[in-house]
């Protein structure tokens, strides 16, 4: 295993996260369990916040993309670290507000915001809504009018940069449900449309080119395309882009096929963006925009692990060994969705040699319910504690109750001590909203 700073192997040969022994965590809180290292999360938030301030002055804000991991405590941490957040649903907005997060530092995204979500956003006096369709511009305008306010908006534009983890290609055509395309002229039309509305204030543009991207050049090309477009809008419509939101997407380490970037190393991504923004703005004679970035995965992804208990082990001679755990796709659907790769570690035997190639299976009634395929481990036995690394992003937030399994709780580790930030679900939680019509009641 690689010595990740948030993870260590202690003298007992146990894996530790944030100074807490994972075997003890499993004992105290049970498994499956998501555990997060608070120090790592704060360090990541600070790296982005301080780099932006040092290289770009006070003319910008880091937004934590809370779809990566949303619960009340994470909004408190973001607030304490003086950054903003983005939300993509009424539910995320509600959670942030319940945590006391200041509405003016919340940006709302989504490709199909519902009427009531727009209403809720306006009612709380949200900082900004990122509009993604003509109908949304109409709705925001109408709802703002009803309330006698003018709502600040950005337009989500699609710069036609398609980015992959190991390569990037620029697409000439646009095939995405997100954003107004620059290439086919809809971004300009949407600008004209938004400017014609009396109750919205168009403040600039937003783009997000994808997720789990390592190539800085992909982000730089997106900046250039957005600012070329901004220059065109200034020339043609006399519209000044006050704000530019460049989205998130910086890649993290899941396995040794990925790059390992230290928290401080992520500053380079932001620095590359800032350099591109400055150079392009100067070239085009644009004033420097208020700059926003929206990292999600890179803030919480490597900060989190999932702990499981090993149960059944099925050896199929000459074929495969399945090591089944007490979780699965209901707490981590990413293999089922994207064939994502993960690094598992036997937390109670973390320094033992990896002698076997196995696949980690979940407990759902579904063959595709796997967590990791063909990974190396010491010979696992029932009762071992298995840790899966880098599960802090898009695991809890995508968890579900398939097979009526309970979504595991989350603990936050601070200085070696763990506390719940999301309590365990109960069977009562699972049946809370069930209704038996009278005619079906047991007589
Ligand atoms: N901003 C916008 C507008 C986004 O759509 C996203 C992610 C982000 C920021 C944050 O990107 P990040 O820094 O986390 O890469 N469920 C998928 C990931 C979906 C990402 C969607 N948008 C997964 O599990 O990999």
């Amino acid at each position: 295993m690689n010595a990740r700073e948030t993870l260590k192997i202690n003298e007992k040969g146990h894996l530790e996260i944030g100074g807490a022994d994972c075997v003890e965590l499993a004992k105290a809180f049970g498994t499956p369990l998501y555990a997060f290292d608070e120090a790592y999360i704060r360090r990541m938030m600070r790296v982005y916040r301080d780099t932006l301030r040092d290289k770009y002055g006070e003319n910008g804000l880091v937004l934590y993309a809370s779809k990566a991991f949303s619960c009340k405590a994470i909004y408190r941490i973001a607030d304490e670290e003086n950054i903003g957040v983005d939300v993509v649903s009424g539910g995320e907005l509600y959670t942030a507000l319940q945590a006391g997060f200041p509405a003016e530092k919340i940006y709302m995204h989504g490709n199909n915001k519902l009427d009531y979500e727009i209403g809720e956003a306006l009612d709380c006096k949200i900082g900004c809504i990122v509009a993604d369709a003509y109908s949304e511009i109409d709705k925001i305008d109408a709802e703002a009018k009803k309330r006698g306010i003018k709502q600040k908006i950005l337009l989500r534009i699609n710069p036609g940069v398609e980015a992959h983890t190991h390569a990037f290609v620029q697409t000439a055509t646009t095939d995405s449900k997100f954003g107004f395309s620059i290439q086919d002229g809809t971004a300009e039309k949407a600008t004209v449309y938004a400017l014609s509305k009396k109750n919205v204030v168009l403040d600039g543009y937003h783009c997000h080119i994808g997720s789990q991207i390592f190539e800085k050049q992909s982000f730089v090309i997106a900046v250039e395309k957005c600012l070329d477009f901004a220059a065109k809008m200034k020339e043609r419509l006399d519209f000044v882009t006050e704000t530019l939101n460049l989205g998130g997407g910086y890649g993290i380490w899941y396995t040794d096929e990925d790059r390992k970037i230290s928290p401080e190393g992520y500053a380079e991504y932001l620095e590359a963006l800032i350099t591109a923004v400055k150079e392009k703005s100067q070239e085009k004679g644009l004033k420097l925009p208020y700059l926003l970035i929206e990292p999600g995965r890179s803030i919480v992804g490597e900060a989190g692990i999932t702990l499981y208990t090993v149960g059944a082990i099925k050896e199929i001679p000459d074929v495969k060994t399945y090591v089944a755990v007490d979780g699965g796709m209901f707490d981590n659907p990413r293999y089922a969705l994207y064939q994502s790769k993960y690094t598992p570690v036997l937390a109670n035997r973390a320094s033992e040699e990896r002698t076997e190639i196995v696949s980690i299976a979940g407990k759902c009634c579904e063959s595709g319910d796997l967590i990791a395929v063909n990974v190396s481990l010491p010979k696992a036995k029932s009762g071992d504690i298995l840790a899966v690394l880098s599960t802090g992003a898009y695991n809890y937030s995508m968890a579900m109750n398939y097979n009526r399994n309970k979504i595991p709780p989350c603990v936050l580790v601070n200085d070696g001590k763990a506390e719940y930030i999301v309590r365990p679900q109960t069977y009562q939680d699972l049946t809370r909203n069930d209704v038996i019509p009278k005619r079906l009641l047991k007589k």
Side-chain angles (χ1 to χ4, degrees), residues 4 45 57 98 114 118 192-193 208 210 224 227 241 290 295 303 376 380 399 403 433:
R4 311 293 302 158
M45 289 178 175
Q98 284 282 304
L114 307 178
I118 290 173
V192 173
Y193 194 68
H208 170 79
E224 290 172 352
L227 287 173
T241 297
Y290 186 74
S376 64
N403 290 169
N433 297 324

Side-chain angles (χ1 to χ4, degrees), residues 48 63-69 86-88 109-110 130 132 156 178 206-213 219 245-252 254 293-300 332-334 337-338 340 342 393-395 397-398:
Y48 289 128
L63 307 176
Y64 162 61
S66 66
K67 76 202 74 178
F69 175 55
D86 92 43
V87 298
V88 290
H109 282 288
V130 182
D132 203 332
R156 178 160 184 172
F178 295 110
H206 167 275
C207 87
H208 170 79
I209 58 170
S211 204
Q212 186 59 10
I213 299 165
F219 296 107
N245 180 336
L246 293 171
Y250 321 122
I252 67 165
Y254 287 101
I293 56 160
E294 297 171 330
R297 189 191 309 269
S298 55
I299 289 180
V300 290
N332 182 358
R334 296 190 72 257
L337 282 170
Y338 324 113
S340 306
Y342 282 97
Y394 305 111
N395 273 231
S397 65
M398 296 204 297

Side-chain angles (χ1 to χ4, degrees), residues 1 18 21 82 110-111 113 145 152 157 176 182 187 194 205 215 236 242 270-271 277 321 349 367 379 390 420 432:
M1 192 194 59
D21 184 315
N82 274 314
N111 69 308
K113 298 168 200 74
K145 187 173 180 194
K152 189 161 89 174
I157 57 173
S176 168
I182 293 180
Y205 299 105
E215 281 74 22
R236 294 199 190 154
E242 298 288 344
L270 185 46
E271 284 168 13
V277 168
T321 297
R349 298 157 55 198
S367 304
K379 192 167 175 57
S390 292
Y420 279 129
R432 178 153 294 138

Side-chain angles (χ1 to χ4, degrees), residues 289-364:
Y290 186 74
L291 197 60
L292 300 163
I293 56 160
E294 297 171 330
R297 189 191 309 269
S298 55
I299 289 180
V300 290
E302 290 190 48
I305 63 173
T306 310
L307 297 177
Y308 301 102
T309 302
V310 172
I313 295 174
K314 182 166 191 176
E315 289 177 23
I316 309 170
D318 302 325
V319 178
K320 207 172 230 168
T321 297
Y322 285 106
V323 173
V325 294
D326 51 357
M329 65 191 289
F330 64 91
D331 62 74
N332 182 358
R334 296 190 72 257
Y335 179 82
L337 282 170
Y338 324 113
Q339 287 77 54
S340 306
K341 295 185 175 172
Y342 282 97
T343 301
V345 177
L346 284 186
N348 53 327
R349 298 157 55 198
S351 24
E352 284 184 30
E353 204 188 329
R354 292 165 180 263
T355 51
E356 312 260 304
I357 300 292
V358 301
S359 291
I360 312 293
K363 69 183 284 294
C364 292

